[in-house]
């Protein structure tokens, strides 16, 4: 029986894709990465920031030291963090708010479990903090998804065993993380992209809470 639902944030509850894209694009323009566009940006879905830096610098053909790569990551995050002040409740994805409200009304524990270090800021901007029992973000973990650490910590925070937790994810790495944590997984997207999820829906408005809790 599902007693807790652990949500990834971006692409599941909210969409800040365009904010990330603009931040990477600004960095790319400054570095002369003329190949960077929306299609290339898809490579970054569900990937930790330093891994994204590895991907983009390798594609550039330029050589960067470890310190320079860290500076790129820090600069991109600064651009992204600066943009978050303009995020509003309009960033909430279809079905997200109603699902959180209904789960809370039924006494089901909820948590956000995200690699992002900006998760809490975004949660506050879209005004859903009061609907969550816990928030686990990049500040609290050592290993990013697909490592199961973030979901196992979230389960601990809401005092629920992993086998009674359901993960809601939109990334391959997140689904793998849930599997490795011993949890069921609801995928947001397409079955082609998320074949290892227990069930896949386009967004949370496409599944009822009753159906969700039966997974």
């Amino acid at each position: 029986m599902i007693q807790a639902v652990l949500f990834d944030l971006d692409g599941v509850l909210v969409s800040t894709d365009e904010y990330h894209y603009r931040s990477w694009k600004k960095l790319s323009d400054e570095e002369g990465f003329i190949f960077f566009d929306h299609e290339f940006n898809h490579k970054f879905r569900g990937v930790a920031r330093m891994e994204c830096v590895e991907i983009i610098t390798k594609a550039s053909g330029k050589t960067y030291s470890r310190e320079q790569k860290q500076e790129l990551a820090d600069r991109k995050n600064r651009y992204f963090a600066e943009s978050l002040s303009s995020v509003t409740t309009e960033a909430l994805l279809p079905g997200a708010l109603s699902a959180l409200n209904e789960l809370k009304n039924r006494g089901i524990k909820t948590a956000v479990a995200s690699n992002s270090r900006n998760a809490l800021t975004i949660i506050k901007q879209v005004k859903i903090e009061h609907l969550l029992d816990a928030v686990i973000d990049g500040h609290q973990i050592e290993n990013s998804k697909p490592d199961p650490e973030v979901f196992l910590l979230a389960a601990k925070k809401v005092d629920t065993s992993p086998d009674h937790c359901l993960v809601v994810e939109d990334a391959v790495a997140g689904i793998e993380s849930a599997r490795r944590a011993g949890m069921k997984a609801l995928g947001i997207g397409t079955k082609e992209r998320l074949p290892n999820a227990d069930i896949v829906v386009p967004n949370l408005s496409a599944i009822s809470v009753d159906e969700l809790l039966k997974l």
Side-chain angles (χ1 to χ4, degrees), residues 141-175:
I141 59 173
E142 294 184 4
N143 304 295
S144 298
K145 303 169 189 175
D147 190 278
E149 180 184 4
V150 68
F151 290 126
L152 291 173
L153 181 56
K156 183 177 180 180
K157 290 284 187 179
V158 297
D159 194 26
T160 305
S161 63
D163 57 322
H164 290 303
C165 291
L166 171 68
V167 166
V168 186
E169 261 285 356
D170 74 320
V172 173
I175 298 296

Side-chain angles (χ1 to χ4, degrees), residues 34-46:
I34 60 174
F35 57 86
F36 187 82
D37 55 16
H38 278 93
E39 184 175 351
F40 191 94
N41 189 56
H42 288 319
K43 299 177 187 288
F44 295 167
R45 183 174 290 275

